[in-house]
């Protein structure tokens, strides 16, 4: 394991570093993930990121981290893992969601028992209200009856709300609707990826981004009515086979990058070499994982007890260290730097470092403020995932080429005949052939809309008009 020595630790980890050794400062976490990795014969990085996602889902209702600027930040974590078929997605998720599922089951049972009492009280309250109307309608004059009804209605029993944290293979739209009925904390888990990595889910990514930041979210719905989500916490764990991920990236990757969703994620690509490991006759010991479950159960009980969310702060030394890391990332965002082509990632990495630091500190039951040792380990961990991000999004087409091709089509017509207004269907039919299949046109079109180069108008019977805004010929076409 890594022995901390701040005088020899560089400002930022080197590019291409190996997966960081576990820190001695986090024994409970270390024991559980090492045991799981050994028993399942899976990469430690895969196990650690899954465990961190579960920890974030449980702790996000209990704590925020105070940034050096003074503003509180949720400790929620978004994770994206590509895993080849047979790579242990479900086995790994099941290990760490087990105590949460068991807690949910117990809460559902308790809610059913509370519901019996609620229904009895509601029936009595309803009878009292009818009796009030029947006996006193003729006896009371003026505003006396309405005032009595108001007083009585304020005493109406409140239905118990079942506890639910895990939303498995649920679309973001369905998740938002469920949270609109009173939920405050959610763990969106997708073991197949398709429910989140889809064109339909793209429109809800801004809302997921806002909740990741702890912002207030207004959800507008045509048929079911609008609602507001305030002080809601959500962590996201997406596991996907590489083919599903690559297909999504080739079509909608640039738009998803534009939204900032992927930059908020800690990403990991599990290599095919981990599939098909030999089995032996060893009797597996899960003692450390059980201790991990005990800690999770304790935090879950705290989350439903009504206690206020606490704020975790950095120690003075850790605060100065985080500022140095943030400034070094800003420097690396300039021409030729590590983040030069990944400014979205540069903006979110310091925040993820703060979140991971707070999670380790809180989970291990540390007193006081976040230590510089914990911060440095979180930094090494996040920067390893930065390298993964660069590899995953540099080696694949993200739809940028399609957006450029469609922009060129518009620009050539604007340049030759000053045409800038179209019907969307006419554009779809006349655009380059390569864009007319596999949803590529829609992805490129939405990306240009998001960047402000296309404006949509709705005419009668739902006909969509399109206005081209060349924006200074951003792609340099002639």
């Amino acid at each position: 394991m890594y022995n901390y020595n701040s005088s020899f630790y560089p400002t930022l980890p080197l590019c291409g570093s190996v997966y960081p050794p576990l820190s001695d400062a986090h024994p409970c976490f270390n024991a559980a993930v090492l045991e799981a990795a050994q028993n399942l014969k899976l990469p430690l990085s895969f196990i650690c990121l899954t465990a961190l996602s579960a920890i974030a889902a449980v702790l996000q209702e209990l704590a925020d981290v105070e940034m050096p600027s003074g503003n509180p930040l949720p400790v929620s974590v978004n994770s994206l893992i590509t895993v080849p078929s047979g790579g242990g997605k479900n086995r790994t998720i099941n290990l760490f969601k087990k105590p949460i599922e068991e807690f949910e089951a117990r809460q559902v049972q308790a809610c059913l028992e509370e519901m019996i009492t609620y229904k009895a009280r509601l029936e009595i309250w309803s009878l009292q209200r009818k009796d009030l109307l029947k006996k006193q309608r003729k006896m009371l004059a003026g505003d006396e009856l309405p005032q009595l009804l108001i007083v009585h209605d304020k005493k109406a029993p409140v239905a118990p709300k079942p506890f639910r944290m895990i939303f498995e293979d649920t679309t973001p739209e369905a998740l938002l609707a469920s949270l609109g009925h009173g939920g405050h904390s959610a763990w969106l888990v997708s073991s197949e990826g398709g429910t989140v990595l889809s064109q339909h889910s793209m429109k809800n990514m801004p809302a997921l981004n806002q909740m990741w930041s702890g912002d207030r979210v207004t959800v507008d719905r045509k048929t079911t009515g609008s609602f507001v989500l305030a002080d809601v916490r959500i962590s996201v764990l997406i596991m996907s086979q590489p083919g599903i991920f690559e297909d999504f990236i080739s079509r909608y990757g640039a738009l998803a990058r534009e939204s900032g969703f992927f930059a908020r994620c800690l990403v990991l690509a599990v290599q095919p070499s981990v599939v098909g490991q030999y089995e032996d006759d060893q009797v597996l010991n899960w003692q450390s994982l059980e201790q991990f479950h005990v800690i999770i159960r304790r935090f879950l009980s705290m989350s439903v007890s009504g206690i206020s969310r606490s704020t975790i702060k950095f120690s003075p030394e850790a605060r100065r260290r985080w500022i140095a890391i943030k400034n070094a990332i800003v420097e690396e965002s300039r021409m030729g730097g590590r983040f030069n082509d990944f400014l979205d990632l540069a903006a979110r990495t310091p925040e993820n470092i703060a979140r991971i630091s707070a999670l380790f500190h809180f989970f291990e039951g540390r007193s006081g403020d976040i230590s510089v040792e914990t911060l440095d380990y979180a930094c090494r961990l996040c920067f390893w995932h930065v390298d993964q991000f660069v590899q995953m999004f540099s080696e694949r087409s993200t739809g940028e080429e399609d957006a450029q091709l469609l922009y060129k089509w518009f620009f050539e017509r604007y340049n030759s005949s000053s045409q800038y207004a179209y019907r969307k269907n006419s554009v779809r039919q006349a655009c380059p052939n390569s864009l007319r299949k596999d949803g590529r046109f829609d992805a490129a079109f939405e990306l240009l809309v998001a960047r402000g180069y296309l404006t949509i108008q709705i005419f009668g019977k739902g006909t969509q008009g399109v206005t081209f805004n060349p924006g200074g010929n951003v792609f340099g076409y002639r």
Side-chain angles (χ1 to χ4, degrees):
M1 293 186 181
Y2 179 83
N3 293 317
Y4 172 72
N5 187 333
S6 60
S7 62
F8 294 101
Y9 189 71
T11 302
L12 295 180
L14 297 174
C15 293
S17 301
V18 297
Y19 190 73
L22 298 173
S23 169
D24 291 329
H26 316 120
C28 296
F29 177 83
N30 294 351
V33 296
L34 285 171
E35 182 180 81
Q38 179 179 351
N39 287 349
L40 296 183
K41 298 180 175 62
L42 292 174
L44 183 61
S45 56
F46 182 20
I47 299 296
C48 284
L49 190 51
T50 307
L52 273 174
S53 183
I55 292 172
V58 173
L59 297 189
Q60 62 191 3
E61 183 70 5
L62 297 174
D64 288 335
V65 58
E66 182 179 290
M67 302 297 285
S69 60
N71 62 298
L73 189 73
V75 295
S76 309
V77 171
N78 290 353
S79 306
L80 168 65
I81 308 174
T82 61
V83 189
S85 179
K89 294 192 301 290
N90 291 323
R91 286 185 299 165
T92 305
I93 291 176
N94 290 340
L95 281 184
F96 296 102
K97 75 176 182 180
K98 179 181 177 182
I100 304 176
E101 287 182 325
E102 292 174 345
F103 187 82
E104 283 183 334
R106 290 194 296 271
Q107 290 296 307
V108 167
Q109 184 59 41
C111 184
L112 290 176
E113 296 174 1
E114 293 175 8
M115 187 62 71
I116 296 174
T117 303
Y118 162 74
K119 289 181 178 180
R121 289 178 177 174
L122 180 63
E123 185 173 355
I124 294 172
W125 177 87
S126 300
L127 291 173
Q128 290 173 339
R129 195 176 195 281
K130 291 179 181 178
D131 188 59
L132 183 65
L133 287 170
K134 180 179 179 180
K135 292 182 178 180
Q136 298 183 355
R137 183 178 291 127
K138 295 181 180 181
M139 298 174 58
L140 296 175
D143 293 333
E144 292 183 65
L145 178 59
Q147 289 301 320
L148 287 175
L149 286 175
I150 291 172
V151 172
H152 183 73
D153 288 351
K154 287 182 178 180
K155 298 178 182 179
V158 178
K161 297 178 181 178
F163 175 87
R164 183 182 181 187
M165 177 178 289
I166 299 176
F167 292 80
E168 192 161 13
D169 289 321
T170 303
T171 64
E173 184 174 14
L175 168 66
L176 295 176
S178 180
L179 291 174
H181 288 90
H184 293 286
S185 182
W187 188 22
L188 177 58
V189 179
S190 176
S191 59
E192 298 302 329
T195 54
V196 180
L197 302 179
S198 67
Q199 180 185 10
H200 180 73
S201 297
M202 289 292 299
K203 64 180 181 180
N204 292 302
M205 282 188 174
L208 295 181
N209 291 344
Q210 288 176 276
M211 288 189 287
W212 183 86
S213 299
D215 296 336
R216 180 187 180 96
V217 178
T218 300
V219 182
D220 294 318
R221 294 287 184 264
K222 292 182 179 180
T223 56
T224 58
S226 302
F227 55 90
V228 175
L229 300 177
D231 199 32
V232 171
R233 299 291 186 264
I234 178 171
S235 289
V236 179
L237 174 60
I238 304 170
M239 291 192 185
S240 168
Q241 291 190 21
I244 295 175
F245 172 73
E246 290 169 1
D247 182 65
F248 176 80
I249 290 299
S250 66
R251 299 186 186 187
Y252 313 111
L255 188 59
R257 283 283 304 278
E258 201 83 14
S259 75
F261 176 77
F262 286 133
R264 290 167 167 81
C265 293
L266 298 179
V267 303
L268 165 65
V270 177
Q271 298 305 308
S273 58
V274 306
V275 179
Q277 298 291 319
Y278 290 105
E279 295 289 342
D280 52 40
D281 61 354
Q282 178 185 3
V283 177
L284 302 182
N285 181 1
W286 294 103
Q287 182 177 354
S288 297
L289 184 68
E290 179 53 38
Q291 183 58 37
F292 180 97
H293 288 176
V294 169
I295 298 173
I296 291 295
R297 293 187 191 105
R298 182 172 74 246
F299 287 136
L300 286 168
S301 297
M302 292 170 59
S303 68
V304 297
S305 66
I307 65 173
S308 300
R309 190 180 293 134
S310 61
T311 301
I312 308 172
K313 300 180 180 181
F314 289 105
S315 68
E317 185 181 4
R319 182 178 182 274
R320 291 190 295 271
R321 182 87 177 100
W322 185 91
I323 293 173
I325 292 170
K326 171 67 181 295
N327 290 337
I329 291 174
V330 171
E331 185 67 25
E332 288 281 350
S333 302
R334 297 178 177 177
M335 187 65 66
R338 184 188 314 195
F339 291 97
N340 181 55
D341 295 325
F342 300 94
L343 298 182
D344 53 346
L345 184 61
R348 301 306 173 190
T349 296
E351 295 183 22
N352 270 331
I353 292 172
R355 293 166 189 256
I356 299 301
S357 300
L359 289 175
F360 278 123
H361 180 85
F362 200 101
F363 180 79
E364 295 289 343
R366 300 295 184 191
S367 59
D369 300 329
I370 298 172
S371 68
V372 70
E373 180 179 4
T374 293
L375 174 65
D376 275 341
Y377 175 68
C379 179
R380 295 195 300 277
L381 188 66
C382 287
F383 264 83
W384 187 85
H385 288 289
V386 164
D387 288 343
Q388 289 281 297
F389 186 100
V390 171
Q391 293 174 19
M392 291 173 69
F393 288 93
S394 293
E395 297 173 356
R396 296 175 171 86
S397 167
T398 61
E400 186 72 29
E401 296 85 353
D402 287 348
Q404 292 187 23
L405 183 60
L406 186 58
Y407 180 95
K408 181 180 180 181
W409 185 89
F410 277 109
F411 186 80
E412 287 174 345
R413 281 149 186 77
Y414 176 82
N415 200 34
S416 63
S417 61
S418 298
Q419 183 179 1
Y420 60 87
Y422 303 83
R423 291 178 181 268
K424 183 179 178 181
N425 281 339
S426 298
V427 176
R428 187 192 301 271
Q429 294 166 5
C431 71
N433 288 331
S434 60
L435 298 180
R436 301 181 200 174
K437 56 184 178 180
D438 299 330
R440 292 172 61 182
F441 170 79
D442 288 328
F445 184 89
E446 292 297 331
L447 185 56
L448 294 183
V449 170
R451 292 180 176 175
Y453 302 125
L454 298 179
T455 304
I456 299 176
Q457 301 86 32
I458 306 297
F459 302 115
K461 297 183 179 180
T463 301
Q464 291 190 9
V466 181
T467 300
F468 175 59
N469 311 304
N473 187 14
V474 67
F475 293 118
Y477 293 123
R478 296 182 184 277

